[in-house]
Amino acid sequence: MLDTRSQSKKPPVGNNMKFVKVAAPLALFCALGVSPAFAVCNISDAKLEEAVLKSPELRKPENRYLVHDLRTLRDAAFVLWTYGLHDDCERVLANIRQLIAAPSMAKLAGNDEDLADEQLAAGEPKQHEGGGIQGNRDAPDARPLINLDDLGPGLRVDEIVGSEVRSSDDKIVGEVRNVVIGTKDRWDYAVVASGGFFIAGRDSIVVPLRYLQVNEERTSFYLRISSADVKAVPLMPDQKYLWLADEAWRAKNDAIFQKLIPDPVRSGTPSVPQANTDSK
């Protein structure tokens, strides 16, 4: 006789999957000591993207950085929500709503540059200071560096901004703070903050992207010049990027790289002719 006691009904496979999808987040929040009612801080309530779309004020060029900062605050609110810090998450959302309602508040921020440097210095990775920490290019299993033009798939901006930059002799130069693309002559640049400073423009250099290589993991970018040669590269002259229209400064800056190493051939773009050629 068949024993039916062990044949309890099982929910369909689809229901099992739904249960797993719901149970996993619940388990995480329970492990953090958070009540299952974790929708208290609803980040979508801030309606940031809707505000950016509909507000002529937020779409003004001078408020571009404000919108970037608002999105950063929204990301911070999400992190707080993830860890169950709902009250703090709500406070950040309140700040977002306040700035959306009155974008002009951004102009009331303090302009004490020394104080700003002191505050921002806390976020500077200490290992970047001094530029002398040796890397791991000498490791037996180190793979060859890759030219940016040879990458597949292509490089995303978020993969390069914030990444460390090393010299050809594998010493820290700094960190990528910004990328400039689409210039008329097709020279794209990485702004590399060096010397332990956090703000791009305060001891930063402008590196043509064609002179950068990257390791296979895309965790470190490398100049094609040595740490000694880096000292010959002029500092970025202004934070407002007026140097982009200063053809004389750009030519001087680019010529330093061209002089130190032959101009790499870029896909679809011929090399810039070298000044010193052998006469026949």
Side-chain angles (χ1 to χ4, degrees), residues 36-229:
F38 51 80
V40 140
C41 179
N42 192 339
I43 296 169
S44 63
D45 284 347
K47 298 188 181 300
L48 173 57
E49 297 305 327
E50 292 87 341
V52 173
L53 182 65
K54 297 177 182 178
S55 170
E57 187 72 15
L58 287 176
R59 292 201 304 275
K60 288 182 178 179
E62 60 266 29
N63 284 327
R64 186 177 300 152
Y65 286 105
L66 171 60
V67 173
H68 177 273
D69 291 340
L70 285 170
R71 286 170 172 153
T72 301
L73 285 172
R74 181 184 58 194
D75 293 342
F78 179 77
V79 171
L80 291 169
W81 175 85
T82 301
Y83 285 96
L85 302 173
H86 301 143
D87 290 342
D88 295 318
C89 173
E90 275 293 346
R91 278 190 281 271
V92 173
L93 289 186
N95 295 144
I96 293 174
R97 296 186 191 100
Q98 189 176 16
L99 288 169
I100 289 175
S104 58
M105 289 182 64
K107 300 176 182 178
L108 303 178
N111 57 3
D112 187 329
E113 292 186 3
D114 291 334
L115 180 58
D117 285 347
E118 182 181 340
Q119 297 283 17
L120 290 171
E124 178 65 19
K126 297 303 180 185
Q127 66 183 34
H128 286 188
E129 295 183 1
I133 296 179
Q134 196 68 27
N136 57 5
R137 295 303 305 161
D138 292 333
D141 58 346
R143 304 293 297 273
L145 298 178
I146 305 171
N147 298 332
L148 297 193
D149 285 338
D150 296 332
L151 284 175
L155 186 71
R156 302 192 313 268
V157 171
D158 64 337
E159 287 182 298
I160 183 170
V161 173
S163 297
E164 67 175 16
V165 176
R166 293 180 174 272
S167 59
S168 60
D169 50 344
D170 206 10
K171 293 185 178 179
I172 284 287
V173 174
E175 194 169 290
V176 179
R177 297 299 187 193
N178 210 343
V179 175
V180 179
I181 60 174
T183 54
K184 185 177 180 181
D185 55 8
R186 298 185 67 184
W187 279 61
D188 306 327
Y189 298 96
V191 176
V192 180
S194 59
F197 287 90
F198 188 88
I199 301 176
R202 292 293 191 90
D203 204 10
S204 296
I205 61 174
V206 177
V207 181
L209 283 181
R210 65 182 73 186
Y211 288 96
L212 282 178
Q213 295 178 301
V214 64
N215 61 0
E216 193 174 64
E217 297 77 21
R218 303 191 183 196
T219 55
S220 299
F221 290 81
Y222 292 80
L223 298 175
R224 299 170 185 259
I225 60 177
S226 70
S227 55
D229 291 331

